[in-house]
Amino acid sequence: MSLLPSSAPVMHANYALGPPPTDQLVTQIDERLVRAPVARIFDIAREVEHWPAYLPHYRFVRFRHRTPDGGGMVEMAANRPFGLFNWPTWWLSEMAVNHDVPWVRFKHVGGITTRMDVEWSFTPAPGGTLTRIVHVWNGPLWPVIGRFAATQVIAPVFVHGIASRTLAGLAAVAERSPS
C-alpha cells in the first residue's frame, strides 16, 4: 500500500439529467442545420473544454470534476457582445452526455441562471444535422421583477445572444472539419 497521494483524478458518478421540463416560464430554442454528420457536430459540442479555442465570446470553460460519460461539473464564462462592449456572464452546470442518442444536457447550479435546464440534441437531416439547443427555466427567484427579467431580458438577450453565437461558431468548425 502506497502512502503517496494518487495523481489520478477522482472520477465522479454521471449526473442523471433527464429531458428539460415542459412546464417552465421560459423556453428558448436555438437551432441550425449544420452541414456535417451527427458524429462530428456532437463531438465538437460535447467537448466543451475546447469551446474557447473556437468561440471568441467564451472567456473560459473549466471542469471542476469529470464523470465517465464525458460530462461533469463545468464552469463556463462568456461575453454577451453589445457592439464594442462585452457584458461578462458566468455559470456553473452539471453536465451529462449520452453517446447513444446523442445529446448533451446541462443543469445550471450556479449563477443568475441557476435551475435552468439545457439540452443540445442532434438529429440527422437532409444535408447534415439539425442541431437544437433548448433552454427552459422559471427565472430567477427575485421578487417583483423575476418574471420580467427572465422573459424580457435574460432569455431573449443573454441566453439567446450567447447560444446563437455558440451554435453558429461550433457549426462553422464542424462544417470546415475534414470528413
Side-chain angles (χ1 to χ4, degrees):
M1 180 168 106
S2 172
L3 297 177
L4 297 174
S6 170
S7 60
V10 174
M11 193 63 73
H12 291 254
N14 292 337
Y15 288 104
L17 302 181
T22 58
D23 61 347
Q24 302 290 287
L25 175 65
V26 170
T27 298
Q28 178 66 52
I29 300 172
D30 290 277
E31 64 184 10
R32 176 185 195 108
L33 178 65
V34 178
R35 301 204 177 281
V38 169
R40 187 176 315 141
I41 185 60
F42 172 65
D43 286 345
I44 292 167
R46 71 180 172 80
E47 294 174 349
V48 296
E49 67 274 22
H50 298 298
W51 288 8
Y54 306 138
L55 306 168
H57 63 288
Y58 266 79
R59 298 189 335 255
F60 66 83
V61 175
R62 295 190 275 255
F63 275 94
R64 291 192 177 176
H65 64 256
R66 295 284 197 151
T67 56
D69 66 1
M73 181 68 67
V74 65
E75 181 179 6
M76 297 180 160
N79 288 321
R80 170 50 169 101
F82 292 98
L84 297 175
F85 176 71
N86 283 317
W87 189 280
T89 63
W90 172 92
W91 63 99
L92 180 66
S93 298
E94 297 171 343
M95 176 183 168
V97 179
N98 184 312
H99 297 264
D100 297 326
V101 173
W103 53 248
V104 179
R105 292 183 180 148
F106 300 90
K107 176 73 169 184
H108 291 205
V109 295
I112 288 178
T113 55
T114 294
R115 295 174 322 284
M116 179 179 281
D117 288 278
V118 183
E119 180 179 72
W120 283 67
S121 62
F122 310 88
T123 306
T129 304
L130 177 62
T131 304
R132 176 180 283 186
I133 310 169
V134 178
H135 291 82
V136 297
W137 186 43
N138 272 333
L141 299 177
W142 301 339
V144 183
I145 65 165
R147 286 179 69 90
F148 176 82
T151 60
Q152 304 302 309
V153 180
I154 298 170
V157 176
F158 287 90
V159 173
H160 170 67
I162 292 169
S164 62
R165 284 172 175 80
T166 301
L167 183 52
L170 298 182
V173 172
E175 290 169 351
R176 73 175 174 256
S177 296
S179 298

